[in-house]
Amino acid sequence: MQLDILAFGAHPDDVELGCAGILAKEAQAGKNIGIIDLTTGELGTRGTPELRLQEAAHAAQIMQIAIRENLFMRDGFFVNDEAHQLKVIQMIRKYRPKIVIANAIDDRHIDHPKGSALVSDSCFLSGLAKIETFDEQGNSQAAWRPSAVYHYIQWMDIKPDFVVDISGFMDVKKEAILAYSSQFYNPDSKEPITPIATKNFLDSVLYRSQDLGRLVGVDHAEGFTVERYPAVDSLFDLL
């Protein structure tokens, strides 16, 4: 299956927090959407890797995502080197996405900018025909480079280069986030409190979408940064 959008996250729940609204919106519009998680988030204070995989599958169903895979890289210790790039390139060539969405370019968690750079570099390398990769059956994969790479926003308050209206999909985004019941705010939980397990953090996800929406005259929006200028055919393509 060729995907219209392939979103990457260093950990399960990164994609939900950063761009669940636009993924759910495009899925409902008939686009083929996929998610690749680099790790299982096994170093997370709360929950277990096995539970995170179950939560990720549940979140994918909520967003109506066609494909979700995990590359089982080492949480906290994966690096942007040839071995890891080849794993990402295999996924890019397998699904031939038109658009790739990656982690934030700068963030509190060290895996987020690492994942951002890893995916971005792999998108470029994936277009080079002399780099050989093979699918699960051992067949040679053809070179493929996405048309665009965008980066969502996470913990840091990064100024977006553009925003996308997700009005009407904020409830889906919130439901997908709360599918990770082991990770986020639950007043009845006995798990240790972490920065993302507070009510303030959960509220901040809503506040950001409302604020970005306010700035462009809609109810809710998600912001993205770019590595090269996006282009439109006409000024009238811009809202």
Side-chain angles (χ1 to χ4, degrees), residues 93-113:
R93 290 178 173 180
K94 178 179 180 179
Y95 292 115
R96 297 173 293 127
K98 299 172 185 176
I99 295 172
V100 162
I101 307 179
N103 280 99
I105 57 174
D106 183 31
D107 214 49
R108 169 184 171 273
H109 196 301
I110 62 171
D111 279 355
H112 297 169

Side-chain angles (χ1 to χ4, degrees), residues 10-146:
H11 315 102
D13 74 26
D14 283 354
V15 167
E16 283 79 1
L17 291 167
C19 62
I22 187 61
L23 296 187
K25 181 177 181 177
E26 295 297 350
Q28 189 176 105
K31 297 292 195 299
N32 291 322
I33 311 295
I35 297 174
I36 304 293
D37 301 308
L38 302 183
T39 78
T40 60
E42 63 269 21
L43 294 182
T45 302
R46 297 158 65 102
T48 65
E50 295 76 19
L51 181 56
R52 291 288 285 277
L53 290 173
Q54 294 173 16
E55 292 170 340
H58 183 203
Q61 290 180 334
I62 291 168
M63 295 183 288
Q64 300 182 36
I65 301 302
I67 298 294
R68 188 163 204 163
E69 294 196 41
N70 196 298
L71 295 184
F72 297 99
M73 295 179 182
R74 289 186 65 202
D75 187 14
F77 294 99
F78 72 83
V79 294
N80 184 9
D81 66 2
E82 180 180 355
H84 290 81
Q85 289 164 357
L86 288 173
K87 289 179 179 293
V88 176
I89 291 169
Q90 286 177 315
M91 293 295 101
I92 295 168
R93 290 178 173 180
K94 178 179 180 179
Y95 292 115
R96 297 173 293 127
K98 299 172 185 176
I99 295 172
V100 162
I101 307 179
N103 280 99
I105 57 174
D106 183 31
D107 214 49
R108 169 184 171 273
H109 196 301
I110 62 171
D111 279 355
H112 297 169
K114 280 195 301 179
S116 175
L118 170 60
V119 171
S120 179
D121 290 350
S122 299
C123 285
F124 176 81
L125 294 171
S126 181
L128 302 179
K130 290 187 177 180
I131 294 178
E132 289 188 317
T133 58
F134 302 90
D135 64 19
E136 293 92 336
Q137 289 75 42
N139 301 311
S140 179
Q141 293 179 308
W144 179 267
R145 184 174 294 148

